[in-house]
């Protein structure tokens, strides 16, 4: 299953400067229990999943290749709506710089500043690359440029590009701008935005991309109104259920599952971990597959959620079910099982055993930055501060491209420098220089821990 933002299991980015604290029977805040940017693919927010971003980007930009068919509507409604949605006045200017650029300008002299890759796109393939590298400012500019040049009668193309534009704004953290531009779309469920209204043959239902509906539902939470998002997500799940009962149950069933997982994400953001766990258990009980193969990612995420709740026994039960259902012992499944074992050891405070498991995973997959980060955390708890610093610093030196997307590991390295050096500003500036060229526009500058 596909699919946020937001990161369902993002490591904590609180203000506690200490990397080492007492070992509870839960996972420490500095342990990464997802991928560098998000958790398992099936539990990411639909509108924010990297895989979905690339997929929906291809859908959006493929419609702007210049070979879209011309349609004639029964009246000029499509043209009127199209003119409104492609007017240059519908969009707002976005800031040129971000917080990371400001840090670079403050701490690095002009002659020593690495050239940051800001990216640009002249064709659809270029936009896909921009999305893959988190260059959302360039994506937003591209979407706006394509929109103002679009044929006003091509509403489906226009709405796809609007999703791309709004997705980029949310990735940049420009939620107020995204909300203001979203208002220009009006009611996404109005009849004028359906194929039937315009008598388009062989096309049925809404022209609005489903991902845009999900983005609309999630936006209030980013503006500090989480209950509004929960209400909208509930309405969207009900809509999926109704549509599945009418026609094409397969796709709508999948969308309903994705909405529930987005809801679980939102509950975690609200610290309602019990509600999130109940939601994921419901997904497994009502939508799970018979052989369990397609449920593995959701089960792994549920086990990690139990660890966050401190329920180690429940996590062990879930992980045991994964091993039981894992009939195809391919590399990915074996790595998932080993990572789950490491998380259990960490939750129990058995750092040496966790480190041994993680080292075996790292030996087979040198590019797994989650393993690198968690192994460094284990080394710190084992009193091996120098080894942890060496591990993380080697990662940033040898894999600056990947390190630029692994904010938790960068933050932990800067924290370790603070423990070892006083002051640690020079060391942290060196880290910033190493990753500056590769960081995307959504990179959280706070992880460098410079004021």
């Amino acid at each position: 299953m596909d699919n946020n933002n937001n990161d369902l299991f993002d490591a904590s980015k609180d203000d506690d400067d200490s990397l080492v604290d007492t070992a509870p029977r839960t996972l420490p805040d500095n342990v990464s229990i997802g991928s560098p940017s998000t958790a398992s693919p099936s539990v990411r927010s639909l509108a924010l999943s990297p895989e979905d971003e690339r997929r929906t980007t291809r859908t959006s930009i493929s419609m702007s290749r210049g070979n879209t068919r011309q349609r004639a509507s029964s009246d000029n409604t499509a043209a009127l709506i199209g003119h409104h949605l492609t007017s240059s006045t519908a969009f707002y200017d976005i800031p040129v710089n971000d917080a990371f650029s400001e840090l670079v300008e403050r701490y690095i002299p002009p002659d020593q500043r690495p050239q940051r890759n800001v990216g640009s796109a002249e064709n659809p393939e270029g936009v896909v690359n921009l999305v893959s590298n988190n260059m959302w400012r360039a994506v937003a500019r591209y979407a706006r440029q394509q929109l103002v040049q679009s044929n006003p009668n091509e509403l489906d193309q226009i709405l796809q590009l609007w999703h791309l534009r709004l997705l980029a704004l949310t990735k940049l953290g420009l939620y107020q701008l995204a909300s203001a531009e979203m208002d220009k779309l009006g009611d996404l469920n109005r009849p004028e935005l359906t194929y039937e209204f315009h008598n388009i043959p062989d096309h049925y239902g809404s022209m609005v991309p489903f991902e845009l509906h999900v983005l609309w539902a999630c936006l209030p939470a980013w503006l500090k109104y989480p209950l509004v998002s929960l209400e909208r997500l509930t309405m969207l799940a009900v809509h999926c259920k109704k549509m599945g009962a009418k026609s094409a149950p397969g796709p709508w069933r999948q969308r309903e599952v994705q909405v529930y997982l987005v809801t679980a994400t939102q509950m975690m953001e609200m610290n309602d971990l019990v509600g999130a766990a109940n939601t994921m258990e419901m997904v497994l009980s009502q939508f799970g597959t018979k052989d369990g193969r397609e449920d593995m990612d959701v089960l792994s995420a549920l086990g990690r959620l139990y660890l966050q709740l401190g329920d180690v026994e429940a996590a062990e039960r879930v992980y045991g079910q994964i091993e039981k259902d894992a009939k195809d012992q391919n590399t990915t499944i074996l790595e998932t099982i080993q990572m789950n074992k490491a998380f259990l050891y960490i939750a129990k405070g058995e750092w040496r055993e966790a480190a041994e498991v993680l080292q075996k995973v790292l030996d087979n997959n040198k590019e797994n930055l989650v393993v690198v980060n968690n192994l460094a955390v284990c080394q710190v708890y084992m009193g091996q501060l120098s080894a942890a610093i060496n591990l993380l610093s080697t990662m940033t030196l040898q894999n600056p491209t990947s390190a630029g997307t692994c904010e938790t590991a960068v933050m932990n390295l800067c924290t370790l420098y603070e423990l070892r050096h006083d002051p640690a500003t020079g060391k942290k500036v060196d880290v910033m220089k190493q990753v500056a060229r590769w960081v995307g526009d959504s990179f959280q500058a706070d992880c460098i821990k410079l004021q």
Side-chain angles (χ1 to χ4, degrees), residues 194-269:
T194 61
Y195 289 105
E196 290 87 344
F197 183 87
H198 301 284
N199 298 318
I200 299 176
D202 301 325
H203 287 75
Y204 308 95
S206 176
M207 295 181 178
V208 181
F210 183 73
E211 294 82 2
L212 185 52
H213 283 284
V214 177
L215 199 62
W216 167 81
C218 293
L219 191 54
W222 299 326
L223 294 170
K224 309 303 180 183
Y225 298 101
L227 294 179
V228 177
S229 282
L230 284 183
E231 180 182 4
R232 290 183 177 185
L233 288 168
T234 302
M235 293 168 54
L236 194 55
V238 171
H239 174 71
C240 292
K241 188 180 293 291
K242 289 181 178 179
M243 294 301 296
K246 292 181 180 179
S247 62
W252 284 106
R253 180 183 176 89
Q254 180 73 6
R255 288 175 174 178
E256 184 180 355
V257 170
Q258 292 171 335
V259 172
Y260 287 138
L261 294 176
V262 175
T263 303
T265 301
Q266 183 54 47
M267 289 179 174
M268 289 202 69
E269 293 292 332

Side-chain angles (χ1 to χ4, degrees), residues 361-418:
V361 176
L362 184 61
D363 290 341
N364 295 323
N365 185 0
K366 299 292 186 181
E367 298 182 357
N368 192 327
L369 299 188
V370 175
V371 174
V372 173
N373 178 70
N374 291 340
L375 180 56
V377 173
C378 290
Q379 290 172 338
V380 171
Y381 278 91
M382 293 163 58
Q384 301 173 4
L385 183 61
S386 297
I389 292 176
N390 181 66
L391 182 64
L392 291 175
S393 60
T394 300
M395 175 202 70
T396 58
L397 284 171
Q398 296 181 352
N399 301 287
T401 306
S402 301
T405 63
C406 191
E407 298 165 357
T408 305
V410 172
M411 181 184 69
N412 281 347
L413 177 59
C414 292
T415 302
L416 292 176
Y417 280 143
E418 289 179 340

Side-chain angles (χ1 to χ4, degrees), residues 83-356:
H83 279 295
H84 172 69
L85 296 181
T86 57
S87 171
S88 60
T89 60
F91 309 101
Y92 298 95
D93 293 332
I94 60 178
V96 177
N97 292 327
D98 56 13
F100 187 84
S101 298
E102 293 175 358
L103 281 182
V104 170
E105 293 176 359
R106 187 182 309 168
Y107 287 96
I108 303 178
D111 58 329
Q112 299 179 21
R113 291 172 189 167
Q115 184 65 38
R116 190 175 176 186
N117 190 358
V118 295
S120 62
E122 301 296 335
N123 53 61
E125 289 75 13
V127 178
V128 174
N129 292 331
L130 293 178
V131 172
S132 300
N133 291 292
N134 294 320
M135 296 178 182
W136 295 106
R137 190 168 277 100
V139 172
R141 290 196 297 265
Y142 174 87
R144 174 175 178 169
Q145 179 183 12
Q146 293 298 309
L147 278 165
V148 298
Q149 297 175 357
S150 294
N151 184 339
N153 289 313
E154 299 293 337
L155 282 182
D156 48 358
Q157 170 191 334
I158 290 170
L159 291 169
Q160 292 282 355
L161 288 170
W162 264 92
H163 169 252
L164 186 63
R165 166 74 178 185
L166 294 172
L167 175 63
L169 293 181
T170 58
K171 282 294 188 178
L172 291 169
L174 303 176
Y175 304 124
Q176 292 288 355
L177 283 183
S179 179
E181 292 192 7
M182 177 76 78
D183 290 341
K184 303 294 182 69
L185 290 172
D187 183 6
L188 299 180
N189 296 312
R190 64 185 187 273
E192 292 84 355
L193 298 182
T194 61
Y195 289 105
E196 290 87 344
F197 183 87
H198 301 284
N199 298 318
I200 299 176
D202 301 325
H203 287 75
Y204 308 95
S206 176
M207 295 181 178
V208 181
F210 183 73
E211 294 82 2
L212 185 52
H213 283 284
V214 177
L215 199 62
W216 167 81
C218 293
L219 191 54
W222 299 326
L223 294 170
K224 309 303 180 183
Y225 298 101
L227 294 179
V228 177
S229 282
L230 284 183
E231 180 182 4
R232 290 183 177 185
L233 288 168
T234 302
M235 293 168 54
L236 194 55
V238 171
H239 174 71
C240 292
K241 188 180 293 291
K242 289 181 178 179
M243 294 301 296
K246 292 181 180 179
S247 62
W252 284 106
R253 180 183 176 89
Q254 180 73 6
R255 288 175 174 178
E256 184 180 355
V257 170
Q258 292 171 335
V259 172
Y260 287 138
L261 294 176
V262 175
T263 303
T265 301
Q266 183 54 47
M267 289 179 174
M268 289 202 69
E269 293 292 332
M270 298 169 61
N271 291 320
D272 183 7
L273 303 183
V274 174
N278 291 337
T279 301
M280 296 179 70
E281 289 171 351
M282 180 273 294
V283 169
L284 288 168
S285 63
Q286 296 188 14
F287 301 92
T289 55
K290 293 182 179 180
D291 58 8
R293 293 183 181 181
E294 297 182 12
D295 306 331
M296 194 166 300
D297 288 335
V298 180
L299 283 169
S300 292
L302 180 59
R304 296 168 193 177
L305 181 54
Y306 282 139
L307 292 180
Q308 293 291 88
L309 288 166
D311 193 344
V312 178
E313 290 76 13
E316 287 180 324
R317 185 175 63 254
V318 171
Y319 289 154
Q321 182 179 345
I322 293 176
E323 295 189 41
K324 180 181 177 181
D325 294 337
K327 299 178 177 61
D328 297 329
Q329 298 290 322
N330 59 45
T331 303
T332 302
I333 294 177
L334 289 174
E335 184 173 298
T336 299
I337 292 174
Q338 292 298 106
M339 290 292 292
N340 292 339
K341 289 181 179 179
F343 293 142
L344 283 172
Y345 283 131
I346 290 173
K348 296 175 181 179
E350 299 175 359
W351 303 104
R352 190 170 304 279
E353 291 80 357
E356 292 175 356

Side-chain angles (χ1 to χ4, degrees), residues 427-440:
K427 290 290 186 180
K428 291 187 283 188
V429 170
D430 289 340
V431 173
M432 184 166 59
K433 290 179 180 179
Q434 292 166 10
V435 302
R437 183 179 177 185
W438 311 105
V439 297

